Amino acid sequence: MPDELGDCVKQISQHSWLINNKLVLEQTTSAGYYLWKNDDDGSYYVLSTPLSIPEAYPLPPDGHVQCVRLANDSAVWSFGGAFLKVRCRTQDAKTTEEHKTFNIPKVLYHTQADDRTFLFLSRVPGETLDQAWKTMSDDDKQYYVQKVASVCKELSLWTSPVIEGVDGGHLLDTWVTAEMAGYVPPAWVRTKFTVSWGLNFEWPGVKTGSQSLREWRERVR
């Protein structure tokens, strides 16, 4: 039986982690082959399949690797210069390359196991919106809200002959997530920003229902 979704990443040592009880990710100072290099400290991250599964423990709350998002069917961990996204898989998905005017993460590694997909992605340079929002002026907030809206408009131009998610799989709901939304019809984009609390910021010490956490998506709609 696979671990609970939130336990897919465990700590082996200060510089190594067990992924899904199958893979070992190691942070090292030198490497011939590596998934990515951390620009902050020059370290390398190497992924391997061990001959035997090492003993591992839950991630420490103050450790280098942190789970930054956990939902019923997906989870995200931050590894400094990259992210690991794990999603429960319901069927095989297809991928497509489209011309884009905005930056997206680079896929570093992808695999499937135990009806889950495991995807390592590079970190896009810059701050996330939830990190920068508190210090922005009102004009800056509106500028970046317009940027988000323009990306949504661009994505809504991608079409398909059938109703499906952007990965070719089922169009999931109750909440159509940002990763799976197929924007069918285009008006759903605005609706999702209006009603989906899953898009709220998550700030330590701020109550879940606070208006400040949903201000950005209310501006987008």
Side-chain angles (χ1 to χ4, degrees), residues 69-72 174-177 191-202 208-210 213-218:
R69 187 166 185 83
L70 179 62
N72 291 332
T174 304
W175 299 108
V176 179
T177 66
T191 300
K192 282 300 168 183
F193 280 104
T194 302
V195 303
S196 183
W197 48 262
L199 296 175
N200 289 358
F201 292 147
E202 296 180 4
T208 303
S210 172
L213 300 179
R214 63 178 186 270
E215 178 192 1
W216 85 276
R217 65 175 175 85
E218 291 179 344

Side-chain angles (χ1 to χ4, degrees), residues 17-99:
W17 301 269
L18 183 64
I19 311 296
N20 197 41
N21 285 330
K22 291 180 171 64
L23 301 170
V24 170
L25 182 70
E26 183 180 6
Q27 183 185 23
T28 181
T29 56
S30 63
Y33 167 79
Y34 54 91
L35 285 189
W36 77 90
K37 180 180 180 181
N38 193 347
D39 292 335
D40 291 340
D41 59 12
S43 62
Y44 299 86
Y45 287 77
V46 179
L47 192 67
S48 63
T49 303
L51 295 177
S52 60
I53 302 303
E55 190 171 5
Y57 310 91
L59 294 175
D62 58 348
H64 168 64
V65 176
Q66 293 292 316
C67 182
V68 295
R69 187 166 185 83
L70 179 62
N72 291 332
D73 62 349
S74 64
V76 181
W77 286 265
S78 171
F79 286 84
F83 293 96
L84 170 63
K85 301 182 72 172
V86 179
R87 173 174 289 279
C88 297
R89 182 168 62 93
T90 56
Q91 66 179 60
D92 291 334
K94 65 184 181 182
T95 58
T96 181
E97 287 291 333
E98 303 282 354
H99 174 69

